[in-house]
Amino acid sequence: MSRLKAGPSIVLLYTTFPKISETFLQRDVAALQAKGLNLRIYSLWGGGGEFRGLQVRSFNKWRLLPLFLFEIPWQCVRRPRLIRDLFEGVFTRAAPSWLNFWENMLGAGFAGCFYRELQRDPPALVHGAWAGAPATAGWVWWRMFGWRYSSGAHAYDIYEHGGDWWLMEKLQHARFIHASTEAAKRELVERGVPAAKIQVIRRGLEAFPPLKPLRPVRSPLRLVCVARLVAKKGLDHQLRIYAALKQAGFAFEARIVGDGPLQDSLLALAAQLGVAEQVKFLGRLEQPQVWEQLAWADVLLHTGVIAPSGDRDGLPNVIPEAMSAGVLVVTSPVSATTEAVQQERTGLVCDVDLPLAWQVALQRFRDDDLLAERLRAGARRWVEENYDAHRNTDRLVACFEEAMKP
């Protein structure tokens, strides 16, 4: 295992790292590492081990026992105002959900368990990748020691059940806030976060794949969806779109990549709608296998919706990945997807409640070579201009460096 580089250290906090469904975070760390930053990585829930020669410290939850028995009573004596504020916040307002309650408790517990370790070599900056548990830990350390911290703020943090329980307190004192879409920035500004504090820095690809040729004959049309099987992905709508295509005699093959809690109900719905033979559920795949599915596909479908909990996508990374490879994209107009998939410029946009609109869009992709090539070229340009990991990481590094200044 390689030794950490000399110089001020940045502590990176994740809920679970590395995680197969969050490859964009792994790309971020790899790019930051390539810039020579001195990184210390902690994973609060799962994950751990080693990533590209860097140790990923995991959180043994048994450490919470002495925290509650000894550390919290001691801190009540030593830092009564902090403890009072924490308990007042807990008992004077309801958490948006039990999950978010425990996420924040996890972050606070982690901070209480690890602060002595970090005191031996205080970080120049603590960065929470998410505004939930990771940012809670950074905020608690700021309250305890004045350590600088910054935070990500992404769709889940902002929208799920109306947003994280302590979102505004954590963002108020962050040195900067990393959002990955303009939609997230607009929402935070509407809630009172100063616009100047929010840095919209998209994720990115370390290298762009070759643009694959357009298949000269696209019938049956090859359709792919890469998504977790959760409500915000709108996959029940997508299956109804497939059913409408079949009823219209439209030849297609569809593959859905991903797993999740709705798998059984979606398989049952596919059978009920009579599209089980046309639609294959491939389960969760490793990233190289996802790229193989994009190489196979003519079109990527994204049928994102606003879930009953309020959760929704920002800009799913698979969309610019598909655009970079030459896969045509049709998406619903929910959240930030249309920042990349711009109607008639880089792709097509359709309402999930209008299956006929999707049928027309897919017919155009199948039959109109000029349209397909124009959109593929526009999509590739957008990705090269907006989704270059090296350029975007340079901006993130600049934010870190500015945040670490005295």
Side-chain angles (χ1 to χ4, degrees):
M1 186 178 299
S2 66
R3 297 177 62 185
L4 290 174
K5 296 177 176 62
S9 66
I10 299 173
V11 168
L12 300 178
L13 302 181
Y14 298 92
T15 306
T16 296
F17 186 90
K19 186 177 181 181
I20 190 171
S21 62
E22 295 175 352
T23 54
F24 59 95
L25 294 178
Q26 297 171 41
R27 286 200 291 261
D28 282 354
V29 172
L32 292 171
Q33 186 184 22
K35 298 294 181 183
L37 272 66
N38 181 2
L39 305 176
R40 297 153 67 184
I41 305 176
Y42 292 82
S43 183
L44 279 62
W45 181 249
E50 184 179 331
F51 179 75
R52 295 175 66 99
L54 294 173
Q55 182 185 12
V56 180
R57 292 288 308 279
S58 58
F59 182 20
N60 186 333
K61 310 309 179 292
W62 285 107
R63 295 183 64 169
L64 291 170
L65 184 59
L67 174 74
F68 284 106
L69 291 178
F70 306 110
E71 190 65 40
I72 290 179
W74 167 239
Q75 293 299 333
C76 286
V77 175
R78 191 176 182 188
R79 295 182 174 85
R81 182 173 179 179
L82 170 60
I83 300 300
R84 184 201 68 192
D85 291 348
L86 290 174
F87 276 92
E88 181 179 341
V90 168
F91 292 110
T92 58
R93 56 181 169 179
S97 68
W98 277 110
L99 176 60
N100 190 247
F101 173 87
W102 289 115
E103 286 175 343
N104 278 276
M105 293 301 100
L106 174 68
F110 172 85
C113 289
F114 278 84
Y115 79 89
R116 294 183 189 275
E117 175 181 315
L118 269 68
Q119 271 186 308
R120 293 193 291 270
D121 182 15
L125 181 71
V126 175
H127 180 73
W130 302 99
T136 299
W139 178 73
V140 169
W141 285 336
W142 170 77
R143 289 291 306 266
M144 294 175 72
F145 308 111
W147 294 344
R148 297 180 179 90
Y149 74 97
S150 54
S151 175
H154 307 292
Y156 174 83
D157 305 315
I158 298 170
Y159 298 114
E160 175 80 1
H161 295 292
D164 179 84
W165 190 17
W166 294 73
L167 182 66
M168 298 309 293
E169 286 91 343
K170 288 180 280 190
L171 298 187
Q172 179 183 1
H173 299 286
R175 301 288 284 202
F176 74 91
I177 299 157
H178 175 202
S180 53
T181 66
E182 294 291 344
K185 179 175 181 176
R186 286 194 299 271
E187 179 66 26
L188 291 173
V189 170
E190 288 179 6
R191 298 190 192 188
V193 179
K197 183 177 281 194
I198 306 167
Q199 301 297 321
V200 178
I201 304 173
R202 300 192 188 277
R203 307 299 181 181
L205 293 169
E206 292 185 77
F208 298 114
L211 191 69
K212 68 177 185 177
L214 185 70
R215 277 205 312 146
V217 178
R218 297 182 294 284
S219 184
L221 195 63
R222 297 174 179 176
L223 310 177
V224 72
C225 172
V226 181
R228 290 190 63 236
L229 308 187
V230 294
K232 68 179 179 179
K233 300 298 184 178
L235 292 170
D236 53 336
H237 295 277
Q238 190 168 140
L239 291 175
R240 291 184 176 90
I241 291 166
Y242 294 144
L245 293 176
K246 182 178 179 180
Q247 185 175 7
F250 189 102
F252 72 96
E253 303 172 45
R255 298 176 180 179
I256 296 177
V257 178
D259 61 4
L262 298 183
Q263 179 171 316
D264 290 344
S265 62
L266 290 170
L267 287 169
L269 181 59
Q272 177 186 336
L273 294 172
V275 294
E277 291 187 7
Q278 288 79 17
V279 182
K280 297 186 183 300
F281 287 80
L282 303 185
R284 186 175 66 178
L285 299 179
E286 300 285 348
Q287 192 64 22
Q289 296 171 296
V290 173
W291 283 107
E292 290 174 3
Q293 297 306 314
L294 295 177
W296 169 84
D298 299 313
V299 183
L300 176 85
L301 278 73
H302 177 74
T303 48
V305 298
I306 299 175
S309 67
D311 194 18
R312 68 204 72 177
D313 278 312
L315 174 58
N317 289 281
V318 72
I319 288 179
E321 288 170 356
M323 292 165 63
S324 74
V327 181
L328 294 157
V329 180
V330 57
T331 182
S332 62
V334 171
S335 197
T337 58
T338 53
E339 292 179 19
V341 186
Q342 299 160 10
Q343 178 73 350
E344 300 286 347
R345 295 178 61 190
T346 60
L348 296 177
V349 181
C350 298
D351 190 319
V352 294
D353 292 318
L354 299 174
L356 180 59
W358 291 75
Q359 179 182 331
V360 170
L362 294 172
Q363 285 174 337
R364 296 179 69 194
F365 283 160
R366 181 192 64 190
D367 299 335
D368 192 335
D369 288 359
L370 291 177
L371 171 72
E373 292 289 26
R374 177 169 60 81
L375 295 182
R376 280 166 21 103
R380 177 65 178 227
R381 281 194 302 272
W382 187 93
V383 173
E384 290 177 351
E385 292 169 3
N386 294 274
Y387 223 70
D388 184 320
H390 303 285
R391 185 183 306 141
N392 293 347
T393 302
D394 284 342
R395 294 184 57 208
L396 189 57
V397 168
C399 290
F400 284 155
E401 291 175 341
E402 183 66 25
M404 291 188 287
K405 289 181 180 178

